[in-house]
Amino acid sequence: MFVCCCLYFLPSPGEVLRWAESLEALLTNQYGLAVFRHFLRSEFSEENLDFWLAVERFKKTHSLSKMAAKAAKIYEEFISTNATRQVAICLSSLRLGINSASFQLAQDQIFGLMEADSYPRFLRSCLYTQLTNQGTQLATILVNQGEAGSVSQS
């Protein structure tokens, strides 16, 4: 059985199957995001996801001073030549000035990398397969319990 310390409840079978529709569907689902992070962590490649999420938070920042601080943190952690978790982006994808679009091209580039590389690997992984099989097994158990309940009520 799949166990992840960051999941308190298993996602529904429908949720798990929807993750295969697109990377965006996976990232916008709380369980999908947690499971994908777990998968990337197991491959030592979660920095792209962390960069993407940091830019998402950055874009929601309204205060210019907070935006500047977050931009500096993103740059130091993910972009600078001394970054501890450097992501592979083209430096020309960065925009000068501090605004919500400062990292948009770089974020799109990283999304494209995840979509072409880590997302397909995730969908082929034992982790995702276990979750899809678990959903099928759970649905079968629930159907069988329902049939047993209707038989005993007769």
Side-chain angles (χ1 to χ4, degrees), residues 2-122:
F2 167 71
V3 178
C4 177
C5 60
C6 45
L7 293 177
Y8 297 105
F9 302 101
L10 287 177
S12 72
E15 283 178 288
V16 174
L17 293 175
R18 277 191 294 279
W19 301 344
E21 292 174 6
S22 69
L23 177 58
E24 187 174 350
L26 175 68
L27 296 178
T28 56
N29 179 278
Q30 66 177 350
Y31 298 117
L33 180 60
V35 173
F36 189 52
R37 175 182 296 286
H38 180 78
F39 168 75
L40 292 175
R41 190 174 292 137
S42 74
E43 293 201 332
F44 304 100
S45 63
E46 66 185 308
E47 65 280 344
N48 284 343
L49 177 61
D50 289 339
F51 171 78
W52 189 86
L53 290 169
V55 173
E56 283 297 293
R57 288 187 299 272
F58 171 81
K59 292 189 303 190
K60 294 175 184 170
T61 305
H62 299 291
S63 161
L64 194 56
S65 62
K66 287 181 181 177
M67 196 176 268
K70 286 183 180 185
K73 185 175 180 184
I74 289 170
Y75 181 81
E76 289 301 315
E77 186 173 354
F78 299 106
I79 298 168
S80 83
T81 55
N82 298 325
T84 55
R85 306 176 65 215
Q86 194 173 48
V87 293
I89 59 165
C90 178
L91 291 179
S92 64
S93 66
L94 298 175
R95 299 223 170 124
L96 295 176
I98 304 294
N99 60 58
S100 61
S102 297
F103 297 103
Q104 187 61 56
L105 292 175
Q107 185 187 34
D108 291 346
Q109 204 175 8
I110 291 300
F111 186 90
L113 285 172
M114 289 191 299
E115 192 171 44
D117 184 40
S118 51
Y119 175 62
R121 279 197 328 272
F122 168 73

Side-chain angles (χ1 to χ4, degrees), residues 127-138:
L127 178 59
Y128 183 71
T129 303
Q130 281 180 321
L131 283 171
T132 56
N133 290 341
Q134 201 167 44
T136 304
Q137 291 168 358
L138 180 60

